[in-house]
DNA sequence: TAAATTATTTTGACTACTCAAAATAGCGCA
DNA sequence: TGCGCTATTTTGAGTAGTCAAAATAATTTA
């Protein structure tokens, strides 16, 4: 069985390669795991020897099928646990990430299946992040963000791609939750600002960077 | 924060000193933790240096107030988690011990409080083991067992003091659960046997050793 | 094309935990 | 009083994971 350290390495390689290039740099990985770069290099060489990753020296690292399976299982646990904490225990959605970061390593598949059933087999966690299926299928969908979508169009928030407590609290306070509807009233690229309006007639300014973390889909019908 | 290894050492010292002498031997501790005796000695010396235990060389080890606080908190997590797994997730009571053994180290106090509320602040876990209070009070009660109680008296099972899957499955199959009522019809000490009868008119023979693991109280009124 | 900057890897060292096997202490018993 | 058994402790060694700092490779800049 992989240790929780190994599980964290594999999960973060998966997250960092999501959507982007499939070679993850040692630098990015080290930042994500809060270790120095030399530690990441050493660890990746060990993981390569054990068959979890492929290492292109000086280029980056990618998951093998085995490593990907482990990573998806950990991610599934993480997101189902977050959903449980919010939906059943009514915890603050901004604080559940840290809890899940621990619990993802000590929950058995048996417990996870029962949790899944209790929650009604959810497709996404409270932040809109897709939950990998038991078979390891990750429903990766490309959405526009508030930084890239069309202006003056009714939108629905589908996902917040940032786990920090501060950002999630900010989003919560301004009713920027998955399911909320809004329009982007304008953008000022030189100033790096986007202005939006939630259905409750609230106007709000956001940096383009922050806007890029809020994913939306056009509101049909 | 103590590591999960440290938490396990402290918890097992608490369990081994329950009721019995307050000096736990290295041998007993090593068996409980599945390590060789030398490892236990080394570890205990480290725990003593950190103020969790008092070590009387060649005599045994006992918890300091600090160590006891940690141990009680871990035990509380263990037993509340077991209760959650059985009462909410409907898991088999014989298999939850192993799960709780892991989860007890990764559940935060915040989550635990909410679990406690969800469960209705239970006083005991599914095996009848008392759950330490949040303040760290462990309701230790001395009960008779099927090996020591009076014969031909109506009894109620209050606790099963053994965590192995096999024993718990056996108890389950024979309706020997906390809350069940029965009488001890006889004992044959030389043969090492006790015979009992459950209210469903079931007769059953048990070794005295096994009988000693089932704690009972006289059925009042 | 050479120098400078940046990212990665290597080296040496440290902590936490563990085991195997040898040394020692504390008995009970003759 | 001394012998032998048993439990405990010590010693030496190994694994997993980490950091600081030096070495190296790759890329950018001049
Ligand atoms: Mn984690
Ligand atoms: Mn999430
Ligand atoms: Mn444990
Ligand atoms: Mn129990």
């Amino acid at each position: 069985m992989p240790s929780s350290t190994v599980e964290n390495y594999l999960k973060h390689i998966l997250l960092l390669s999501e959507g982007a290039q499939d070679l993850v740099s040692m630098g990015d990985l080290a930042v994500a795991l809060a270790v120095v770069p030399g530690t990441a290099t050493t660890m990746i060489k060990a993981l390569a020897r054990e068959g979890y990753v492929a290492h292109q020296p000086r280029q980056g690292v990618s998951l093998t099928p085995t490593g990907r399976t482990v990573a998806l299982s950990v991610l599934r646990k993480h997101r189902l646990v977050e959903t449980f904490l919010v939906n059943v225990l009514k915890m603050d959605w901004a604080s559940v990430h840290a809890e899940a970061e621990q619990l993802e390593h000590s929950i058995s598949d048996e417990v996870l299946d029962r949790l899944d059933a209790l929650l009604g087999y959810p497709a996404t966690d409270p932040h809109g992040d897709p939950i990998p299926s038991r078979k390891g299928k990750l429903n990766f969908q490309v959405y526009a963000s508030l930084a890239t979508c069309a202006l003056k169009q009714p939108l629905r928030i589908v996902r917040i791609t940032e786990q920090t407590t501060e950002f999630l609290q900010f989003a919560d306070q301004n009713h920027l939750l998955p399911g909320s509807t809004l329009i982007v009233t304008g953008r000022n690229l030189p100033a790096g600002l986007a202005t939006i309006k939630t259905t409750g007639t609230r106007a709000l300014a956001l940096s383009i960077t922050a806007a890029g973390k809020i994913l939306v889909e056009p509101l049909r019908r």
Side-chain angles (χ1 to χ4, degrees), chain A:
Chain A
M1 286 301 95
S3 68
S4 57
T5 303
V6 170
E7 289 186 343
N8 278 330
Y9 272 83
L10 299 178
K11 187 188 70 171
H12 278 108
I13 295 170
L14 178 68
L15 291 174
L16 286 171
S17 56
E18 195 196 8
Q21 76 298 335
D22 50 7
L23 275 199
V24 174
S25 77
M26 288 304 131
D28 290 354
L29 188 55
V31 168
L33 290 160
V35 296
V36 300
T39 300
T41 301
T42 307
M43 195 65 198
I44 286 305
K45 295 213 303 183
L47 295 185
R49 189 161 9 86
E50 291 163 49
Y52 291 120
V53 301
H55 184 206
Q56 259 70 57
R58 244 122 201 159
Q59 304 287 128
V61 67
S62 58
L63 294 171
T64 62
T66 308
R68 187 178 160 83
T69 300
V70 174
L72 282 167
S73 154
V74 177
L75 193 59
R76 174 171 158 81
K77 286 177 185 176
H78 184 105
R79 292 181 174 168
L80 273 174
V81 165
E82 280 187 348
T83 308
F84 168 76
L85 294 176
V86 169
N87 291 10
V88 177
L89 295 191
K90 309 296 179 197
M91 287 184 68
D92 179 15
W93 87 325
S95 69
V96 296
H97 183 74
E99 300 275 357
E101 204 55 52
Q102 296 311 120
L103 288 167
E104 66 189 0
H105 309 293
S106 40
I107 282 214
S108 72
D109 289 342
E110 162 79 3
V111 170
L112 197 75
D113 283 347
R114 289 171 186 264
L115 231 38
D116 196 17
L118 178 71
L119 297 167
Y121 308 101
T124 66
D125 78 6
H127 315 106
D129 303 319
I131 298 173
S133 78
R134 220 155 64 109
K135 297 259 129 204
K137 169 142 268 143
L138 182 53
N139 197 7
F140 178 65
Q141 220 162 317
V142 181
Y143 288 110
S145 76
L146 292 185
T148 61
C149 64
L151 296 180
K152 319 220 178 211
Q153 246 221 285
L155 305 163
R156 190 201 331 269
I157 297 180
V158 296
R159 185 174 177 189
I160 314 285
T161 62
E162 156 101 32
Q163 319 290 335
T164 64
T165 308
E166 307 80 57
F167 189 80
L168 291 175
Q169 269 169 359
F170 161 79
D172 194 19
Q173 273 147 29
N174 293 96
H175 305 90
L176 299 174
L177 307 176
S180 309
T181 56
L182 76 165
I183 60 172
V184 179
T185 50
R187 278 197 206 97
N188 184 336
L189 276 300
L193 278 187
T195 51
I196 65 177
K197 209 165 158 205
T198 61
T199 29
T201 66
R202 251 186 196 70
L204 184 66
L206 230 58
S207 82
I208 294 289
T209 316
K213 295 169 178 170
I214 299 173
L215 305 191
V216 293
E217 65 181 3
L219 198 56
R220 278 273 150 265
R221 75 188 228 76

